[in-house]
Amino acid sequence: SHLRSTDIRTDNSPLQIFVKAKKKINDIFVEIEDYVQDTVGFMKSLQAERNIVTAEEAERIESYVDKVHGIRDVLKRDHMKVAFFGRTSNGKSTVINAMLRDKILPSGIGHTTNCFLQVEGSDNGESYLITEGSTEKQPVQSVGQLGHALCKEKLCESHLVRIFWPKEKCLLLRDDVVFVDSPGVDVTPNLDEWIDKHCLDADVFVLVANAESTLMVTEKNFFHKVSTKLSKPNIFILNNRWDASASEPEFFEQVRAQHQERAVDFLSRELKVYTPKDAEERVFFVSAKETLQARMQEQRGQPSHNGALAEGFQTRYFEFQDFERKFEECISKSAVKTKFEQHSQRGKHIATEIRQTLDEILDRTQKMKSEQLYVKKEIHDKLNYTEQQLMLLTQEMKDKIHHMVEDVEQRVSKALSE
Ligand code: GDP
């Protein structure tokens, strides 16, 4: 009865930082594309008329059309990626399902994830999967079917199966969050391959640990490897199965303090990715199973629990929500920075190059004009006209491009500082 209403999340989710930044930067690139097209058209007309513009110049400017197009393509596919790691059966799939508010990934006995599973949003309400190396959409209607489909494939543990789930069924998917579930870190010797293939573009890593045991060397090793390849990865540690502690209340505080201390020590002293104080904010004690059950109940319009749950359920449920909030803030900021900073640099570069070229052309017409002052009035007028046009256009382009570049920078730095 005391569940926070914020659990029914609205558009004030921190994920909107990313969503809005993506829209804005895309709009800016639409404008840049327009200006590049205009410039190309203008240069062509100059080239046809007189030899004011060289073929190389025209080609160079024209090549920006493809470049801008390429950036827009990448931009469209940019998303926020979170990857889950931990030993088999710690509850990775259950955590993802709890966050998605539905049993999407198969979990439990007989459903050991033996390859990488990526869950992402699909349009048009479709659900299907695509295995690595294929483009065939295999329809998926239910978890059972998905489990079955995954079993019948001969899948290598570093392979990726992409699961597309209707965007409108989950806000996180709608907002471009992509989830990656991994095989247990205890089953593979190929950590390097994993990291190169699936982790280098992850914005956030979640280590799903088992609150019933301590962090294992295999789990730690994985993150040691990650942090040699990525500077300061964003890591959250979920001590899952915390509901099990309810049966041993006499050790509860002691166990929690010990786990907390070791996790903080791991993040701050060993990996050196956070200060001890910041690391405190990255460690949570949760029960993914309870959270998933509660959310599925709520979705059916029933109370989140029927009173039969273990003691401390609400605290664990709040802690899960708290984790999600901090996770959302972290992932959207990280993704804006890693994805859009680069785009805005490239946009700025293109704008600068165009401006320079236009400046050079203007300069050239002015020289030509003074050299040819003696020629016929006709040509003189034509050149005058061209010069005027160029002046106008260059100034206009300069202003607009300048304005655009500043706008991108401002928005990116605002988003970053937010
Ligand atoms: P994975 O191999 O890490 O993906 O683990 P799964 O998500 O498949 O979970 C393994 C088993 O642990 C399943 O039977 C889950 O129902 C169970 N499980 C997951 N989370 C919890 C939890 O918080 N508490 C308890 N008691 N069981 C859990």
Side-chain angles (χ1 to χ4, degrees):
S1 59
H2 296 102
L3 290 178
R4 285 186 235 170
S5 60
T6 52
D7 198 48
I8 315 291
R9 290 167 333 124
T10 51
D11 274 356
N12 63 16
S13 151
L15 296 175
Q16 289 296 314
I17 297 171
F18 178 84
V19 175
K20 286 182 182 147
K22 179 168 169 172
K23 181 166 181 338
K24 188 72 210 172
I25 198 163
N26 185 58
D27 291 347
I28 290 169
F29 271 100
V30 171
E31 279 180 53
I32 294 182
E33 196 166 355
D34 278 353
Y35 291 122
V36 175
Q37 297 279 17
D38 282 357
T39 315
V40 168
F42 185 66
M43 287 182 76
K44 278 201 173 131
S45 72
L46 284 182
Q47 214 185 346
E49 243 180 78
R50 308 193 56 81
N51 287 329
I52 299 170
V53 174
T54 67
E56 291 83 53
E57 275 170 339
E59 269 165 37
R60 182 149 44 94
I61 297 298
E62 210 163 350
S63 75
Y64 291 132
V65 176
D66 285 346
K67 279 191 188 143
V68 172
H69 223 79
I71 296 173
R72 287 192 58 205
D73 269 349
V74 174
L75 189 58
K76 230 181 274 164
R77 276 179 276 119
D78 276 338
H79 52 231
M80 296 173 267
K81 178 167 160 182
V82 51
F84 293 79
F85 292 92
R87 274 178 308 141
T88 319
S89 295
N90 279 1
K92 295 180 294 295
S93 313
T94 313
V95 170
I96 296 175
N97 286 340
M99 291 174 82
L100 293 170
R101 287 149 198 270
D102 202 349
K103 282 190 179 158
I104 295 175
L105 296 179
S107 77
I109 315 294
H111 279 304
T112 312
T113 314
N114 48 14
C115 65
F116 280 80
L117 297 179
Q118 177 164 312
V119 186
E120 54 196 292
S122 77
D123 298 312
N124 318 323
E126 284 185 292
S127 34
Y128 55 91
L129 62 84
I130 297 180
T131 54
E132 194 168 322
S134 156
T135 50
E136 189 202 343
K137 288 183 182 177
Q138 306 183 33
V140 186
Q141 296 319 332
S142 64
V143 188
Q145 216 187 359
L146 174 63
H148 188 71
L150 292 173
C151 280
K152 81 175 186 334
E153 300 282 340
K154 285 270 166 290
L155 295 161
C156 158
E157 43 122 280
S158 69
H159 266 201
L160 179 72
V161 173
R162 296 170 73 189
I163 298 164
F164 292 83
W165 203 254
K167 275 188 177 166
E168 56 279 8
K169 284 195 179 169
C170 174
L171 287 170
L172 291 160
L173 296 180
R174 187 204 63 185
D175 288 349
D176 274 343
V177 177
V178 165
F179 293 78
V180 175
D181 193 6
S182 62
V185 284
D186 46 337
V187 290
T188 182
N190 297 333
L191 294 183
D192 284 302
E193 189 188 350
W194 277 23
I195 294 168
D196 291 342
K197 254 185 100 174
H198 304 291
C199 300
L200 297 181
D201 65 340
D203 296 295
V204 169
F205 294 87
V206 178
L207 168 59
V208 180
N210 186 344
E212 292 163 291
S213 70
T214 49
L215 276 185
M216 295 284 180
V217 177
T218 43
E219 290 168 322
K220 288 185 169 187
N221 271 349
F222 174 75
F223 284 98
H224 274 295
K225 271 186 188 283
V226 168
S227 66
T228 61
K229 302 206 185 193
L230 285 173
S231 69
K232 306 238 180 256
N234 293 306
I235 304 172
F236 286 87
I237 298 182
L238 293 183
N239 291 290
N240 192 37
R241 296 172 166 273
W242 192 230
D243 51 317
S245 69
S247 59
E248 295 169 59
E250 63 275 30
F251 301 118
F252 178 87
E253 290 299 336
Q254 199 186 332
V255 173
R256 183 176 172 126
Q258 199 179 61
H259 281 316
Q260 178 82 15
E261 189 193 313
R262 288 191 180 157
V264 167
D265 192 60
F266 174 58
L267 294 174
S268 60
R269 201 180 50 77
E270 275 191 53
L271 291 180
K272 299 188 171 55
V273 290
Y274 298 119
T275 63
K277 193 168 160 290
D278 290 340
E280 300 265 349
E281 301 280 302
R282 301 287 167 165
V283 184
F284 299 86
F285 292 79
V286 296
S287 169
K289 191 177 172 181
E290 283 177 344
T291 303
L292 175 61
Q293 270 166 359
R295 287 182 168 171
M296 293 188 62
Q297 287 275 109
E298 284 166 10
Q299 231 133 45
R300 289 189 211 108
Q302 290 160 5
S304 56
H305 67 100
N306 52 19
L309 281 160
E311 201 174 309
F313 158 73
Q314 289 212 331
T315 316
R316 289 187 291 274
Y317 194 18
F318 286 167
E319 195 149 337
F320 198 93
Q321 292 172 344
D322 192 23
F323 153 67
E324 288 176 309
R325 191 84 190 168
K326 291 193 175 117
F327 155 79
E328 287 178 12
E329 270 167 26
C330 177
I331 198 167
S332 62
K333 280 184 192 163
S334 160
V336 165
K337 196 165 180 162
T338 56
K339 271 102 194 175
F340 301 156
E341 208 160 58
Q342 235 178 7
H343 293 320
S344 74
Q345 287 302 334
R346 290 181 66 197
K348 206 166 122 176
H349 176 76
I350 291 173
T352 314
E353 290 276 300
I354 292 178
R355 189 159 71 186
Q356 257 169 22
T357 310
L358 289 173
D359 275 344
E360 282 164 22
I361 295 170
L362 182 63
D363 205 43
R364 203 175 308 146
T365 39
Q366 277 166 344
K367 275 200 193 113
M368 280 169 88
K369 194 182 141 199
S370 60
E371 281 165 13
Q372 298 188 357
L373 266 179
Y374 61 92
V375 297
K376 275 187 282 176
K377 186 175 180 302
E378 211 179 306
I379 295 176
H380 179 79
D381 287 349
K382 213 168 213 171
L383 273 173
N384 249 345
Y385 173 74
T386 311
E387 186 193 341
Q388 241 172 33
Q389 289 289 84
L390 264 170
M391 292 257 258
L392 283 175
L393 188 89
T394 316
Q395 200 49 52
E396 190 193 348
M397 300 272 280
K398 270 190 193 170
D399 289 349
K400 284 189 176 163
I401 289 170
H402 193 75
H403 181 74
M404 260 167 12
V405 172
E406 277 185 348
D407 196 42
V408 180
E409 278 180 339
Q410 244 175 34
R411 286 183 191 264
V412 171
S413 68
K414 185 157 164 266
L416 290 178
S417 67
E418 273 171 7

